[in-house]
């Protein structure tokens, strides 16, 4: 019986170390995939507000602990928002961040994490920047935006206006 318990404990320890390894902080694998700087009817936050939004994707094969990753709308102040402890983006998953001009990170009743960051996106064009410790990891520059048309990453790595926005899902061009 004692041996059995030891074996089970060993398996439990192995499993916990495996799952710990599966959460990385490989921020270079977090990509900006879609941006909307003039949101009218496309997407509301849980308060019913149509804030501008940024879509991120975890392109790695591991879940990523986002804590410490910075986000901004320019290069002068890279850390307008820093992801707090406890935000994990699952492998292959998308996250939509609302650009609301105030900071709030909360878990909704359905278990999803809703993030509002303290800056807005200008429909006249600006940037979205991901960084860690002053190193820029991903940056997207966009020009003038039209209401409810997103600016989205294509499979070939280029960006284009997209009139079929897909916040939180694979980009789609028609
Ligand atoms: Ca701005
Ligand atoms: Ca999308």
């Amino acid at each position: 019986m004692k041996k059995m318990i030891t074996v089970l404990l060993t398996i439990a320890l192995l499993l916990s170390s495996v799952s710990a390894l599966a959460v990385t902080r490989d921020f270079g694998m977090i990509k900006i995939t879609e941006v909307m700087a003039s949101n009218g009817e496309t997407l509301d936050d849980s308060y019913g507000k149509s804030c501008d939004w940024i879509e991120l994707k975890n392109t790695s094969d591991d879940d990523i602990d986002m804590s410490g990753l910075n986000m901004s709308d320019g290069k002068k102040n890279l850390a307008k928002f820093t992801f707090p402890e406890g935000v994990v983006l699952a492998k292959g998953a998308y996250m939509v961040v609302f650009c609301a001009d105030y900071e709030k990170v909360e878990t909704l009743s359905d278990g999803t994490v809703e993030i509002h960051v303290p800056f807005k996106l200008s429909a006249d064009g600006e940037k979205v920047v991901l960084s860690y410790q002053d190193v820029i990891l991903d940056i997207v520059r966009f020009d003038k935006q039209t209401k409810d048309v997103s600016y989205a990453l294509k499979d070939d790595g280029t960006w284009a206006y997209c009139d079929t926005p897909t916040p939180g899902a694979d980009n789609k061009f028609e």
Side-chain angles (χ1 to χ4, degrees), residues 100-124:
D101 231 4
Y102 63 86
E103 181 166 335
K104 191 166 191 177
V105 178
E106 61 194 316
T107 304
L108 305 181
S109 54
D110 67 357
T112 60
V113 176
E114 184 169 88
I115 297 177
H116 290 86
V117 295
F119 57 86
K120 287 185 170 180
L121 299 179
S122 170
D124 291 331

Side-chain angles (χ1 to χ4, degrees), residues 153-167:
L153 181 63
K154 298 168 87 169
D155 287 340
D156 66 4
T158 61
W159 285 76
Y161 293 114
C162 176
D163 56 14
T164 51
T166 54

Side-chain angles (χ1 to χ4, degrees), residues 44-51 102 104 106 108 114 116:
D44 283 353
D45 65 11
S46 65
Y47 301 96
K49 299 280 188 220
S50 54
C51 311
Y102 63 86
K104 191 166 191 177
E106 61 194 316
L108 305 181
E114 184 169 88
H116 290 86

Side-chain angles (χ1 to χ4, degrees), residues 33-34 53 55 94 152 165-172:
T33 47
E34 191 173 8
W53 50 266
E55 180 189 77
Y94 290 100
T166 54
D170 290 347
N171 293 346
K172 185 174 69 182

Side-chain angles (χ1 to χ4, degrees), residues 25-46:
R25 291 174 80 215
D26 191 1
F27 294 150
M29 299 301 281
I30 302 284
K31 298 295 178 193
I32 305 160
T33 47
E34 191 173 8
V35 170
M36 182 169 278
S38 181
N39 179 15
E41 306 281 325
T42 302
L43 180 69
D44 283 353
D45 65 11
S46 65

